[in-house]
Amino acid sequence: MQTKNKLFTLLVLSAGAAASLAAINKGVKIAATSRNRLDESDGLCYKWRLGDVFYTRSGSGKPLLLIHNLQAGSGSHEWSALLPLLKETHTVYTIDLLGCGRSEKYNMTYTNYLYVQLISDFIKSVIGHRADVIAVGESASIPIMACASNPELFDQIMLINPLSLIDFSRIPGQTARLYKGLIELPIAGTLIYHIAVGRQMIADELKRNGFYNPYSVKASLIDVCYEAAHLGNYPKAVYASVKCNYTKCNIVNALKKINHSLYLVGGKAIDGIEERLEEYKEYNPSIETLFIPETKELPHLEKPSALCDLVNTYFN
């Protein structure tokens, strides 16, 4: 009898703890999204076969597609400083990749192949013409792989601070799979995710790696990224996929195959960025490398005019 009472007490305490954690998770989500900084009224919806994808279209001229990074809180809002400059000379499309920003977020594994299909279908169905493309960071592999498969959809490609070729070739190991399974737990995993993408964590990442001048990181940008990381039904799925290398792939063969104009832009203040970009030229000597002084991972937010000048110079 005493043993049964102890088990019953343990079950009651466990249920109470689970309920408390679930309440904490719900409170965090409500607080993160309550300001509604990511208003969907200013965009359009592409009804893709795997989910609704949010995008915007503005300006006039040659089509230019902007693909945001794949980090916690990433989305098309990443282009807010550059977009007003580019739309003077281009028809600019921004897209929230599936699982990010204002697009639908499902409980699934997000892969490079999935995003290659999304971008290819988006250019065919929405843009309807060959397009120039700019992609950032981890997303840089998407247009490379898509262009290698469907070269007729692309014209010129610019990659901002792409990962090293070694980083792109990483595959999910046993530890990564275990971590992904942990994140996918409904209560404890969600709490771990909320800790990993807390407002202070996002702020620290932007100030440490995103910007050369940490004092130029605005509170409004932190708020938008924080909201994007919590918006939707299952925001942690893409985070788990990225952290555990499911969105990566080896792009060396695709680099060799591409005959399009390809420009790599580096934030000059990133340690080792010159060496990182030079690796790409070993497999495609026609690649041009460009650098923006006093910037790190997000030059399109920190020095949008400098990046716009490069786009207008090389894309026109």
Side-chain angles (χ1 to χ4, degrees):
M1 180 63 72
Q2 188 175 6
T3 301
K4 290 183 178 179
N5 288 336
K6 288 182 178 179
L7 289 173
F8 180 75
T9 301
L10 181 60
L11 288 173
V12 170
L13 292 175
S14 299
S20 298
L21 290 179
I24 291 172
N25 288 334
K26 184 176 181 180
V28 170
K29 183 178 181 67
I30 291 173
T33 58
S34 60
R35 296 187 179 185
N36 196 30
R37 293 186 179 274
L38 291 172
D39 184 7
E40 295 185 17
S41 63
D42 62 346
L44 303 165
C45 179
Y46 170 44
K47 298 285 186 179
W48 194 44
R49 62 180 184 272
L50 294 181
D52 291 348
V53 174
F54 177 91
Y55 74 96
T56 67
R57 179 185 186 275
S58 57
S60 60
K62 188 178 179 183
L64 172 60
L65 174 61
L66 306 180
I67 305 174
H68 61 79
N69 203 350
L70 276 174
Q71 300 294 328
S74 292
S76 58
H77 54 272
E78 199 174 288
W79 305 106
S80 59
L82 185 62
L83 181 57
L85 305 177
L86 290 179
K87 70 180 184 181
E88 295 181 5
T89 53
H90 299 82
T91 301
V92 185
Y93 295 83
T94 70
I95 185 171
D96 283 355
L97 297 173
L98 197 71
C100 303
R102 286 159 282 193
S103 292
E104 285 197 86
K105 300 176 180 179
Y106 294 113
N107 182 9
M108 59 188 288
T109 299
Y110 294 83
T111 64
N112 178 268
Y113 179 75
L114 180 148
Y115 287 131
V116 166
Q117 293 301 304
L118 169 58
I119 293 304
S120 300
D121 290 346
F122 183 83
I123 294 175
K124 291 176 187 177
S125 302
V126 178
I127 299 178
H129 301 278
R130 289 169 64 99
D132 293 334
V133 177
I134 302 177
V136 185
E138 181 137 0
S139 293
S141 64
I142 300 171
I144 292 296
M145 298 301 292
C147 183
S149 299
N150 299 285
E152 73 281 358
L153 299 178
F154 297 85
D155 195 355
Q156 302 173 100
I157 298 173
M158 180 176 286
L159 308 178
I160 301 172
N161 294 317
L163 303 184
S164 71
L165 294 176
I166 292 178
D167 283 338
F168 269 135
S169 65
R170 298 187 188 280
I171 60 175
Q174 183 176 1
T175 302
R177 290 192 292 269
L178 288 172
Y179 182 69
K180 187 172 183 292
L182 181 63
I183 293 293
E184 289 173 347
L185 293 174
I187 297 177
T190 301
L191 181 63
I192 293 171
Y193 171 74
H194 284 165
I195 294 172
V197 299
R199 190 180 187 282
Q200 190 59 51
M201 296 290 284
I202 290 174
D204 291 344
E205 176 64 21
L206 288 170
K207 293 176 181 178
R208 182 172 56 252
N209 297 317
F211 282 64
Y212 171 77
N213 179 9
Y215 298 104
S216 63
V217 178
K218 298 179 180 178
S220 58
L221 172 61
I222 298 171
D223 288 341
V224 170
C225 293
Y226 183 50
E227 180 174 321
H230 293 81
L231 197 66
N233 292 331
Y234 212 88
K236 65 181 181 179
V238 72
Y239 168 84
S241 298
V242 171
K243 285 293 183 182
C244 299
N245 299 324
Y246 287 90
T247 54
K248 294 181 174 68
C249 71
N250 191 322
I251 64 173
V252 167
N253 288 332
L255 275 178
K256 295 178 182 177
K257 185 177 180 181
I258 289 177
N259 292 319
H260 297 59
S261 296
L262 184 58
Y263 309 100
L264 306 187
V265 178
K268 189 69 172 178
I270 299 173
D271 291 339
I273 188 63
E274 292 91 345
E275 293 80 3
R276 187 200 305 180
L277 301 190
E278 279 297 317
E279 293 177 359
Y280 284 72
K281 298 177 72 172
E282 294 179 15
Y283 300 98
N284 190 329
S286 65
I287 290 174
E288 293 191 49
T289 56
L290 315 163
F291 299 93
I292 301 179
E294 298 183 347
T295 62
K296 287 191 174 182
E297 299 290 350
L298 301 172
H300 45 298
L301 279 169
E302 189 165 20
K303 287 196 173 182
S305 296
L307 182 57
C308 182
D309 288 343
L310 291 180
V311 173
N312 289 333
T313 298
Y314 290 91
F315 277 13
N316 289 331

